[in-house]
């Protein structure tokens, strides 16, 4: 018989003392109700006497469409399906699909916020790939021809920070090819990793300034006693920061030369024995282009605004990390665990990047991806 603390349902009432806290023994199931997707439970918090449904604060909450159809639509968005085609197959409008996508992206952001913390990575590969929204050329551009950060159309880039040892997508940002966006993706990476890993990228010059802005020490100067204003403090790179570049020179789209450059931390890089490479993050770029219709080359399924593209990228990031097994991460099963299931004789244990990083212990189902609930970070720190 289940006990109340085993349901894993946090109280959704902000006025409750157990708000968004789990496993406190204050929630129990009081009833069930039938939906198009089967039987669902109703819970009650005994602290504030608030009843709430099983799907509260999930993608499926207060939707009349069956869960199977919603999951089918979201799955098709992850396999290069376009809105018009998905709407035609499932008989729903594009506005409905975008509403489901918005909910899925919010759920993905919650998953990233709670799982991607204090990651024990030793190196991070940075890269960005070109895309566009609304039209390929912006109406207003800067001196370099890039779209302005506040522009609603034109050239955009998908920025990815990637942990190659776990095949984990740490951060994904959509924005123009500017220093501000580089700072955003580096800051997001810093908030999710433990310590200062080694960073590798291509020859894009803005990464150096972005890394120094995130990982630096402030150097102050003692008064000299001489006339004039004292020297202002300056930010210098952190002594543990390692940054290497893989510089490519191309002509007419063909690669001419390929060279490596150690920008910061040459001695520490030699001591760690790491090789400067961006091969795996560039492979992730191909994975994104193959999975998301707006990122395909010469596509007519482009997004109309930046937020829609960001929602697709963030949703795919969460799916890629927790629910999509990676072949290079699989582990061979011990002999006593190789149980035959009919004609199937498994030899390998499937693993996702999140499992390799130690933030989860199983491959998530797609429904689990859309319905996972978490305690608030404040409650976790209090309980810890």
């Amino acid at each position: 018989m289940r006990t109340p603390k085993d349901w894993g349902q946090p109280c959704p009432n902000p006025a409750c003392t157990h708000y968004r806290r789990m496993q406190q023994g204050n929630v129990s199931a009081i009833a069930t109700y039938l939906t198009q997707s089967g039987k669902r439970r109703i819970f009650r918090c005994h602290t504030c006497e608030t009843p709430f449904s099983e799907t509260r604060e999930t993608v499926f909450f207060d939707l009349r469409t069956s869960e199977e159809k919603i999951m089918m639509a979201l799955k098709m968005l992850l396999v290069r399906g376009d809105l018009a085609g998905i709407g035609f197959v499932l008989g729903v409008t594009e506005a409905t699909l975008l509403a489901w996508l918005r909910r899925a992206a919010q759920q993905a952001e919650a998953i990233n916020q709670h799982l991607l913390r204090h990651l024990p990575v030793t190196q991070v590969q940075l890269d960005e790939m070109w895309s566009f929204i609304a039209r390929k050329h912006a109406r207003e551009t800067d001196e370099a021809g890039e779209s302005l950060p506040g522009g609603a159309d034109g050239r955009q880039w998908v920025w990815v920070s990637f942990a190659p040892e776990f095949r984990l997508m740490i951060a994904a940002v959509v924005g123009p090819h500017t220093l501000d966006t580089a700072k955003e993706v580096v800051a997001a990476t810093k908030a999710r990793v433990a310590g200062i890993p080694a960073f590798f990228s291509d020859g894009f010059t803005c990464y150096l300034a972005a890394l120094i802005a995130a990982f630096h020490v402030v150097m102050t100067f003692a008064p000299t006693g001489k006339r004039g204003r004292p020297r202002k403090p300056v930010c210098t790179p952190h002594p543990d920061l390692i940054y290497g570049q893989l510089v490519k020179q191309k002509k007419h789209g063909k690669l001419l030369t390929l060279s490596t450059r150690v920008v910061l931390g040459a001695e520490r890089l030699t001591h760690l024995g790491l090789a400067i490479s961006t091969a795996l993050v560039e492979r992730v770029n191909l994975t994104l282009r193959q999975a998301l219709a707006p990122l395909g080359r010469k596509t007519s399924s482009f997004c109309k605004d930046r937020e829609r593209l960001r929602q697709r990228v963030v949703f795919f990031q969460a799916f890629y990390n927790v629910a999509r097994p990676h072949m290079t991460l699989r582990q061979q099963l011990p002999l006593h665990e190789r149980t035959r299931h009919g004609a199937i004789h498994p030899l390998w244990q499937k693993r996702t990047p999140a499992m390799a990083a130690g933030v989860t212990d199983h491959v998530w189902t797609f429904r689990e991806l859309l319905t996972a609930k978490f305690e608030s970070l404040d409650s976790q720190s209090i309980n810890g």
Side-chain angles (χ1 to χ4, degrees):
M1 185 69 181
R2 288 180 180 266
T3 57
K5 64 179 181 180
D6 292 334
W7 292 110
Q9 297 287 335
C11 177
N13 182 12
C16 180
T17 57
H18 288 82
Y19 172 60
R20 296 190 64 82
R21 297 182 65 182
M22 302 174 66
Q23 310 298 344
Q24 300 295 313
N26 62 304
V27 174
S28 62
I30 61 173
T32 60
Y33 63 99
L34 290 177
T35 68
Q36 297 184 34
S37 305
K39 185 182 293 186
R40 296 291 177 260
R41 295 184 179 89
I42 296 179
F43 299 95
R44 174 182 290 166
C45 173
H46 298 290
T47 303
C48 62
E49 298 299 326
T50 300
F52 58 95
S53 66
E54 181 180 349
T55 58
R56 181 74 175 264
E57 297 183 347
T58 69
V59 175
F60 305 121
F61 178 65
D62 202 23
L63 294 179
R64 297 184 180 181
T65 310
S66 66
E67 295 179 5
E68 289 298 327
K69 179 179 284 191
I70 297 173
M71 288 193 293
M72 180 65 69
L74 295 175
K75 286 179 180 179
M76 293 174 71
L77 287 174
L78 298 176
V79 291
R80 211 168 182 176
D82 61 278
L83 295 179
I86 298 173
F88 174 75
V89 172
L90 299 180
V92 297
T93 63
E94 294 187 14
T96 300
L97 291 174
L98 291 176
W100 296 346
L101 174 61
R102 182 176 64 252
R103 291 188 175 208
Q106 293 173 353
Q107 175 73 6
E109 290 174 349
I111 292 174
N112 293 337
Q113 181 182 8
H114 287 82
L115 295 186
L116 303 184
R117 295 185 295 151
H118 311 295
L119 299 173
V121 301
T122 58
Q123 59 176 306
V124 174
Q125 296 181 6
L126 303 169
D127 198 17
E128 68 286 345
M129 64 175 174
W130 176 85
S131 183
F132 68 96
I133 54 176
R135 54 181 57 83
K136 291 187 177 181
H137 300 285
R139 293 177 178 175
E140 298 180 358
T141 60
D142 58 12
E143 296 179 356
E146 301 293 345
S147 60
L148 299 178
D153 60 337
R155 298 163 60 91
Q156 296 294 315
W157 298 73
V158 178
W159 305 64
V160 175
S161 64
F162 186 75
E165 54 198 314
F166 305 130
R167 306 301 194 267
L168 184 74
M169 291 178 62
I170 303 175
V173 176
V174 177
H177 208 232
T178 60
L179 174 60
D180 292 338
T181 314
K183 289 182 177 180
E184 182 180 353
V185 67
V186 172
T189 304
K190 177 185 177 181
R192 295 174 178 176
V193 301
I196 305 178
F199 289 88
F200 304 129
S201 74
D202 54 15
F204 185 46
T205 56
C206 289
Y207 280 127
L208 177 59
L211 288 171
I212 295 177
F215 303 97
H216 64 268
V217 293
V218 180
M219 180 180 296
T220 59
F221 301 93
T224 60
K226 299 180 180 180
R227 297 180 60 184
R229 295 180 181 178
R231 190 173 177 181
K232 295 181 180 180
V234 296
C235 294
T236 60
H238 196 281
D240 294 335
L241 179 59
I242 298 175
Y243 177 45
Q245 291 183 340
L246 187 69
V247 183
K248 302 177 183 178
Q249 292 185 355
K250 298 181 179 180
K251 185 177 182 180
H252 302 301
K254 295 184 178 180
L255 181 64
L256 297 180
T257 61
L258 185 66
S259 60
T260 59
R261 177 194 304 160
V262 181
V263 182
L264 296 172
E267 295 183 0
R268 190 162 180 260
L269 178 62
T270 304
H271 177 72
L272 295 176
L274 299 176
I276 300 176
S277 175
T278 59
L280 294 179
V281 70
E282 291 175 356
R283 180 60 182 82
V284 170
N285 291 344
L286 178 59
T287 301
L288 283 167
R289 291 195 184 277
Q290 291 177 332
L292 302 180
L295 298 182
R297 298 186 182 275
K298 298 182 179 181
T299 180
S300 59
S301 304
F302 52 86
C303 290
K304 299 299 179 62
D305 59 78
R306 185 185 303 165
E307 180 61 20
R308 301 303 182 195
L309 181 58
R310 187 197 66 81
Q311 291 173 357
R312 290 205 184 191
V313 171
V314 171
F315 181 41
F316 180 80
Q317 177 192 3
F319 168 74
Y320 177 90
N321 285 337
V322 302
R324 188 176 187 267
H326 203 289
M327 182 173 292
T328 62
L329 298 175
R330 64 180 184 175
Q331 291 182 339
Q332 194 168 13
L333 288 172
L335 292 176
H336 64 278
E337 294 184 9
R338 299 181 184 180
T339 305
R340 181 183 294 274
H341 302 281
I344 301 176
H345 191 190
L347 300 177
W348 304 90
Q349 177 191 9
K350 296 180 179 180
R351 293 204 308 162
T352 61
M355 293 175 63
V359 298
T360 185
D361 58 357
H362 65 285
V363 180
W364 288 27
T365 64
F366 200 77
R367 190 178 190 279
E368 186 179 4
L369 175 70
L370 302 178
T371 59
K373 297 182 180 181
F374 305 93
E375 280 189 329
S376 63
L377 297 181
D378 296 337
S379 300
Q380 294 181 21
S381 60
I382 292 175
N383 296 337

